[in-house]
Amino acid sequence: MTTTRFAPSPTGFIHVGNLRTALFNYLIARKAGGQFILRLDDTDPERSTEAYADAIKEDLEWLGLTWDRVEKQSDRIERYNGAADELREKARFYEAFETPVELDLKRKKQLNMGKPPVYDRSALALSEDEKAALRADRAGHWRFKLDLERIEWTDGILGDLSIDAASVSDPVLIRGDGQFLYTLASVCDDVDFGITHVVRGSDHVTNTATQIQIIQALGGTVPTFAHHSLLTGPQGEALSKRLGTLALRDLREAGIEPMALLSMMARLGSSDPIELRSSMDELVEGFDLAAFGAAPTKFDVEDLKPLTAKTVAALSVEDMRAALADLGVPADIAPAFWDVAKENVATRVGIADWWALCRDGAEPLIDAEDAEFVATAKGLLPATPWDGDTWKAWTGAVKEATDRKGRGLFMPLRKALTGMEHGPDMSKLMPLLQKIKL
Ligand code: GLU
């Protein structure tokens, strides 16, 4: 069965970059009628928190990206210990003792000599006595011993890839303090949970090469890997530093619609156009991983705004029934109110302002040169209840009385009733005004 996973570390809020990974994996699973697992990569006890794990779930739920199962790496330390033993037995695991400073020095020397900064495996030459002496002084860390051959796979996005294992350092899988690193934990989980497809950012390509060898060493089945390009800002600038401001919860707070965001992310960076979808089924239907390219993908948060406005405008009064009732819009005028409001808001957040205007009236905006004109118009206001013809009747009468026409006639009246220079068709708005402050 097709099984995918989204594997965030609960060390912060998830952002648009993470969403891309989550969504691709989600859509692949749903399209194949398979399973989508939420895996919390929480092997770092200092940085991982329950609160971030909850926030991640909340953000995914907001978007409707539901998972079939949730797993936590911190629950699986026993398993990782077992895998470490297995690698030791197979002579694919060795203890090394260099400090970060020593490693840094080695790298600098190699670079100075024009060599790639790959770990030199000097720990492999240590005798048992030497290791015991080092152990008395500091804790050792454990490295996976790569087979020095080319590691090849057909990437779901990047095509045929081949990485020379000799150009990569033997990965550290257990730190000096005993903490398992993501690389080993992820491999064990992917094998045990039957993960068939792994889609993640292209910053993981080298990880993938080493993980393929670890999976093989542990006798597991290598999943299909695909690496999507990383997002950049609109000018192609790195987004990594700004991602903090592009957290999903900030977008939600700003009123961005889930469907607008999902529609964009399911297509951005692919050869297919971005199309606003109205349901998850449509998103699944229109998704094709093969259409994505290797080039960095430009992301502009501004593009979410028109898509959000379009999403809101496409909502029916039935969709909005409960939300409008919560705002206090009487059921009998809800359809007419929604008809006006939906065309005039950027996000759902703006609906409340239009209702406040209808319910309470707006502070009139009257320019000094229009004061007399507006006073005359006020005297000509038709009696309530107002209907769809009221605006026409009123402006007709005012025109006759004042000789004004066009913008000079309509604009001061709009401003007097709404306090704004722009807004909905006044014929539609007037019947909705429960009160005016003119
Ligand atoms: N926790 C890892 C990350 O967020 C997961 C990478 C992966 O998908 O394997 O980068």
Side-chain angles (χ1 to χ4, degrees), residues 257 312-345 347-356 358-359 432 434:
E257 288 286 320
V312 174
L315 294 168
S316 70
V317 68
E318 282 318 315
D319 296 329
M320 292 303 294
R321 207 42 101 181
L324 294 178
D326 282 351
L327 281 180
V329 182
D332 57 332
I333 64 166
F337 171 73
W338 182 236
D339 199 35
V340 164
K342 70 179 185 187
E343 304 291 347
N344 287 279
V345 290
T347 70
R348 286 183 206 231
V349 181
I351 301 168
D353 291 340
W354 283 112
W355 176 242
C358 291
R359 186 191 55 215
L432 294 167
Q434 317 290 297

Side-chain angles (χ1 to χ4, degrees), residues 5 7-9 18 21 39 41 182 186 190 198-200 203-204 211:
R5 66 355 180 242
S9 297
N18 305 123
T21 311
R39 188 183 88 197
D41 285 1
Y182 146 82
S186 181
D190 287 343
V198 173
V199 183
R200 53 191 178 191
D203 49 338
H204 281 289
Q211 288 184 357

Side-chain angles (χ1 to χ4, degrees), residues 102-283:
E102 286 166 354
L103 289 172
D104 205 40
L105 214 68
K106 283 190 188 204
R107 273 194 292 269
K108 283 193 181 126
K109 271 191 198 156
Q110 287 167 313
L111 288 170
N112 277 342
M113 295 190 308
K115 286 188 185 163
V118 177
Y119 177 60
D120 62 8
R121 293 184 158 178
S122 37
L124 279 177
L126 295 172
S127 69
E128 283 309 318
D129 287 347
E130 285 169 324
K131 281 195 239 178
L134 281 163
R135 244 179 244 130
D137 178 48
R138 57 176 89 154
H141 51 272
W142 287 81
R143 288 183 185 266
F144 176 75
K145 186 162 171 271
L146 289 165
D147 272 339
L148 299 185
E149 58 189 24
R150 294 202 78 86
I151 304 166
E152 299 183 333
W153 75 95
T154 301
D155 193 277
I157 293 175
L158 304 174
D160 287 338
L161 290 186
S162 168
I163 290 186
D164 184 359
S167 69
V168 183
S169 295
D170 287 337
V172 176
L173 302 187
I174 305 179
R175 292 200 322 195
D177 63 4
Q179 187 183 312
F180 282 99
L181 288 177
Y182 146 82
T183 310
L184 179 62
S186 181
V187 160
C188 292
D189 295 349
D190 287 343
V191 168
D192 293 358
F193 304 155
I195 301 300
T196 57
H197 296 73
V198 173
V199 183
R200 53 191 178 191
S202 52
D203 49 338
H204 281 289
V205 166
T206 309
N207 271 341
T208 295
T210 59
Q211 288 184 357
I212 286 175
Q213 280 205 3
I214 304 171
I215 294 171
Q216 286 165 340
L218 291 171
T221 307
V222 178
T224 300
F225 286 99
H227 297 85
H228 59 71
S229 64
L230 300 184
L231 295 180
T232 71
Q235 261 71 56
E237 71 277 23
L239 208 55
S240 47
K241 289 206 187 70
R242 283 190 42 223
L243 281 172
T245 63
L246 295 171
L248 299 189
R249 46 196 46 221
D250 295 334
L251 298 179
R252 177 174 60 189
E253 193 91 336
I256 297 300
E257 288 286 320
M259 256 314 144
L261 184 54
L262 294 174
S263 300
M264 179 163 161
M265 283 309 178
R267 284 287 175 83
L268 193 70
S270 83
S271 52
D272 294 324
I274 292 172
E275 290 167 294
L276 185 60
R277 305 297 190 173
S278 58
S279 71
M280 203 56 97
D281 286 348
E282 279 180 28
L283 279 173

